[in-house]
Amino acid sequence: MTGIIGSGFGLYGHLPAIAQVDTEPILLPQRYKSKFDKRPELIQFNNRIIWTRNEEYILDNSNSIVLSIWPKGQLYWVEKCLIRSNIRYLLLEKPIAISPQLSHALLTELINSKVIFRVAYSFIYTKWFDEIDEILRNEKVRSIKIKWNFLAHHYKLNLTNWKRYKSLGGSVIRFYGIQILAFISFFGFTKAVKSKTVGSNEDDSSKWEAHFQDAHRKKCEIWIDSKSSVNEFNIELSCYTNESKIIKLNDPFSDIENGLSSLDPRVEIIKKIYHSLKYNINDDKYYKLYQDTNDLWNKIESINKHSYN
């Protein structure tokens, strides 16, 4: 059985994904029931759920655990999972931990354990990722430019939640930029050349500009504005033939074809991640990507400069 810890995206993202991939019952704490009942699109999965008294019961009675919680809480629950012999699979949220240093330590512990795990780096499961992979396999590309503008939920509603603050594992690099770091790590960008954040203070940064290189001196430039009045996600690949390949979307998930239209489109991504977790597809490849991503995260933060607005 699979247990879910996390009553936000754990309910409206992971629950419907797992219900469509797996046939086993899904364990949820009884205290999530009131939130579940407020989401009519989830009622179709009600017969798949076993409501339990608490999270500890879930850990004791599941062989798979999904964590959809903030980084500090994730560290706490991972440690509880690793001491239980019945838990064989773990699906983690990103970032893995609050900082690259803590993330490195947790990754090392997970890799040395017997637990099979995945991290929800969603971008590498998108259609546009496959398009870029195809281009890079067949074209000589000089540079990649990525521009991502949007208005983060915490800025829109002026929330003071963990996703806003670097010290809690959030902010523009640790919560949003980490997705792009996983994406470019897959393609071999290992050198951090420049990093600059902008915000009211270093803990609350809304903009990020960064430059990277791979071993062949291919360049990658990133611009993220999480406090923008427009929504756009653009990737431009400049080839040595002077031709440019451009992908333009409203957001990174706007090209997803959702099997059940009432659900969050990211459910389709979680289905792919969960499938790779349960069917042990290329574990070592994923673990290397997670380590490379973490190394690049550490490098970029070590050279980052902050400007105040």
Side-chain angles (χ1 to χ4, degrees), residues 102-227:
L102 289 173
S103 180
H104 172 78
L106 186 56
L107 270 176
T108 301
E109 186 176 8
L110 283 163
I111 291 170
N112 290 335
S113 75
K114 294 182 180 180
V115 172
I116 298 167
F117 70 98
R118 292 290 183 270
V119 182
Y121 291 132
S122 303
F123 287 8
I124 63 173
Y125 298 91
T126 60
K127 287 201 307 183
W128 56 262
F129 172 86
D130 292 336
E131 291 177 37
I132 291 171
D133 189 25
E134 182 72 16
I135 293 169
L136 291 173
R137 289 177 187 275
N138 295 289
E139 303 273 357
K140 289 199 70 176
V141 173
R142 180 187 295 113
S143 66
I144 302 174
K145 295 180 179 179
I146 304 169
K147 184 179 182 181
W148 185 14
N149 292 334
F150 59 99
L151 180 59
H153 186 66
H154 52 262
Y155 289 131
K156 183 178 180 180
L157 300 181
N158 195 28
L159 303 175
T160 56
N161 57 20
W162 73 266
K163 296 177 183 178
R164 182 168 181 164
Y165 300 109
K166 175 183 175 182
S167 59
L168 299 177
S171 196
V172 68
I173 296 179
R174 295 185 174 186
F175 186 69
Y176 299 107
I178 195 75
Q179 291 279 25
I180 293 181
L181 291 178
F183 161 59
I184 67 173
S185 292
F186 183 93
F187 294 114
F189 288 94
T190 57
K191 183 178 180 181
V193 178
K194 171 186 175 181
S195 180
K196 176 184 176 183
T197 50
V198 178
S200 58
N201 59 69
E202 216 171 326
D203 200 35
D204 183 8
S205 300
S206 58
K207 296 181 181 179
W208 180 43
E209 177 186 350
H211 297 184
F212 305 87
Q213 284 185 355
D214 70 3
H216 306 290
R217 301 185 68 83
K218 187 190 290 109
K219 297 178 180 179
C220 179
E221 299 177 1
I222 296 169
W223 295 269
I224 300 179
D225 183 355
S226 64
K227 213 172 186 179

Side-chain angles (χ1 to χ4, degrees), residues 235-293:
I235 301 179
E236 180 180 354
L237 296 91
S238 298
C239 303
Y240 279 96
T241 58
N242 293 324
E243 182 184 6
S244 291
K245 310 282 187 179
I246 300 175
I247 293 174
K248 288 190 173 186
L249 299 169
N250 287 332
D251 67 69
F253 305 110
S254 60
D255 66 342
I256 295 174
E257 295 177 3
N258 200 341
L260 297 171
S261 59
S262 61
L263 300 175
D264 188 297
R266 291 171 294 176
V267 167
E268 296 302 310
I269 299 293
I270 299 300
K271 285 165 64 175
K272 293 179 182 179
I273 300 174
Y274 190 75
H275 185 274
S276 81
L277 170 71
K278 291 302 293 285
Y279 297 99
N280 305 346
I281 301 170
N282 297 325
D283 291 330
D284 290 341
K285 180 189 78 171
Y286 284 105
Y287 298 165
K288 182 180 185 305
L289 174 63
Y290 302 157
Q291 290 173 311
D292 290 346
T293 301

